[in-house]
Amino acid sequence: MDDELNLTYITLGGHVEVEKYRYLYFVIMFTVYILIICSNSTIVYLIWIHQNLHEPMYIFIAALLVNSVLFSTAIYPKLLIDFLSEKQIISYSACLLQFQFFYSLGGSEFLLLAAMAYDRYVSICKPLQYAAIMRKTTVSIILVFAWILPAFQVAVAAALDAREKICAFILNGIFCNNTVYKLQCVISGARLIRDMIIFLNVAVLPVLFILFTYTRILIISYRSSSEVRRKAAQTCLPHLIVLINFSCLSVYDVIIIELESDFPKIVRFIMTLQIILYHPLFNPIIYGLKMKEISKHLKRLVCPARMNYVNTDN
């Protein structure tokens, strides 16, 4: 019976003094999860109900924020349950499912940021062709592609990993990311090549594409009027900040499997929390404050009386 249990269940060994601080952890992370859902959903709601926000740029922002909610939902409920449980365990199949959601939605983040960069490139560098290029059909195809491609590729990887024999049953983490590979008895060269191809498709190529498009935008803006430069800075800067933030967290997640023994447990615990805490909260703040039209509708939603007073004075 014990052998059967070991073959089925994995212990999440990345928690730090969970017995002592379980209720504090739970309250903090539950509050963060509610804030993530409310903040992201509020921006999506504003984009949904206001006709002037039914443009490709805002639709991509809404998709990115929905992606953040899905990303958090793949992690937080299980994490909250673990904080209140005597044992932090997960079945190997459920672990692979969480692995699937974590990396497919992470890949979708990069592809959606690439779509936003392309939208800004067409808007600023080819304004007369914008309506013809960024049609509703094109936007829909891009959104489907951004979610389907990573999901399919990571699903294949997870299905193949499910057939691998595992020789370890303690995962040095608080959820199932690439540290799952440390559980396997053998890490084959074919698996490394497969993962590199997936990483190239859903992360490296989108980032290179984003850098290329923003370089072109920078060149065109520099040669254009101050109005074009202002528009470029206003709409592109939030996307670049989000990209840099998410890329740094993703780099940490990629290298942690190689360097985990060099990190103290408390440092690894804190850094892992940053991946699931900082970014989903960061996105709605950036877009809510830095995107002028969204910020205007957000202020009107939060302080309707004050905005009506200002409009009356004007």
Side-chain angles (χ1 to χ4, degrees):
M1 177 66 73
D2 289 341
D3 290 338
E4 184 178 350
L5 183 66
N6 286 339
L7 288 172
T8 305
Y9 287 93
I10 304 300
T11 298
L12 299 170
H15 292 273
V16 176
E17 297 191 66
V18 67
E19 300 84 3
K20 184 177 180 180
Y21 298 111
R22 65 172 74 249
Y23 296 112
L24 177 62
Y25 287 157
F26 179 86
V27 170
I28 292 173
M29 297 309 291
F30 181 74
T31 303
V32 168
Y33 185 43
I34 295 300
L35 286 174
I36 288 171
I37 292 176
C38 293
S39 58
N40 284 277
S41 299
T42 298
I43 305 299
V44 172
Y45 170 75
L46 291 175
I47 294 172
W48 178 273
I49 64 171
H50 293 289
Q51 194 67 33
N52 68 321
L53 299 181
H54 291 182
E55 299 177 8
M57 176 176 68
Y58 299 110
I59 292 172
F60 288 136
I61 289 174
L64 194 73
L65 299 183
V66 169
N67 198 72
S68 293
V69 173
L70 295 175
F71 180 86
S72 300
T73 302
I75 304 297
Y76 277 80
K78 171 58 179 166
L79 193 61
L80 293 171
I81 291 171
D82 285 340
F83 287 146
L84 298 182
S85 301
E86 291 299 321
K87 294 182 179 180
Q88 291 72 47
I89 60 174
I90 186 171
S91 69
Y92 187 55
S93 58
C95 190
L96 290 177
L97 183 62
Q98 190 176 62
F99 171 94
Q100 152 78 22
F101 282 120
F102 182 77
Y103 286 107
S104 64
L105 292 170
S108 296
E109 189 96 4
F110 280 115
L111 292 174
L112 288 169
L113 287 170
M116 294 162 74
Y118 178 68
D119 173 74
R120 291 300 83 207
Y121 168 76
V122 176
S123 175
I124 294 169
C125 302
K126 300 181 180 180
L128 298 180
Q129 303 173 48
Y130 183 80
I133 295 175
M134 299 303 295
R135 295 174 297 174
K136 288 184 178 180
T137 303
T138 305
V139 172
S140 299
I141 291 172
I142 290 174
L143 291 176
V144 171
F145 180 80
W147 272 308
I148 294 297
L149 178 63
F152 174 75
Q153 292 191 76
V154 179
V156 171
L160 293 174
D161 287 335
R163 300 166 61 182
E164 297 287 339
K165 185 178 179 181
I166 58 174
C167 294
F169 306 99
I170 298 178
L171 188 146
N172 292 326
I174 58 176
F175 58 87
C176 297
N177 57 359
N178 59 10
T179 51
V180 167
Y181 293 139
K182 289 288 188 179
L183 305 177
Q184 297 175 1
C185 301
V186 179
I187 300 179
S188 65
R191 198 223 74 194
L192 290 174
I193 294 173
R194 178 200 72 204
D195 289 349
M196 287 301 297
I197 292 173
I198 295 174
F199 182 66
L200 184 71
N201 288 340
V202 302
V204 176
L205 290 179
V207 169
L208 291 177
F209 177 78
I210 292 169
L211 294 177
F212 170 76
T213 55
Y214 281 128
T215 300
R216 293 292 301 161
I217 290 172
L218 182 63
I219 293 171
I220 296 296
S221 301
Y222 180 76
R223 296 173 179 173
S224 302
S225 64
S226 59
E227 177 64 23
V228 173
R229 289 196 293 271
R230 186 193 63 80
K231 178 183 177 182
Q234 185 183 71
T235 60
C236 294
L237 185 59
H239 304 328
L240 282 173
I241 294 174
V242 169
L243 173 66
I244 293 169
N245 170 59
F246 188 67
S247 296
C248 291
L249 294 174
S250 298
V251 167
Y252 166 78
D253 182 72
V254 170
I255 65 173
I256 186 60
I257 189 172
E258 301 297 334
L259 301 177
E260 65 176 22
S261 60
D262 298 330
F263 281 87
K265 188 174 182 180
I266 182 64
V267 174
R268 190 168 63 245
F269 177 69
I270 293 172
M271 287 299 297
T272 303
L273 282 178
Q274 297 305 305
I275 298 174
I276 61 171
L277 186 153
Y278 183 63
H279 187 67
L281 278 176
F282 185 76
N283 283 1
I285 293 173
I286 285 295
Y287 291 121
L289 296 179
K290 294 295 184 182
M291 301 300 289
K292 183 178 178 180
E293 287 300 315
I294 295 177
S295 178
K296 182 178 68 177
H297 290 299
L298 185 60
K299 290 176 182 177
R300 189 170 294 162
L301 179 68
V302 175
C303 304
R306 181 180 177 184
M307 291 301 294
N308 289 336
Y309 177 77
V310 172
N311 290 337
T312 301
D313 286 348
N314 292 337

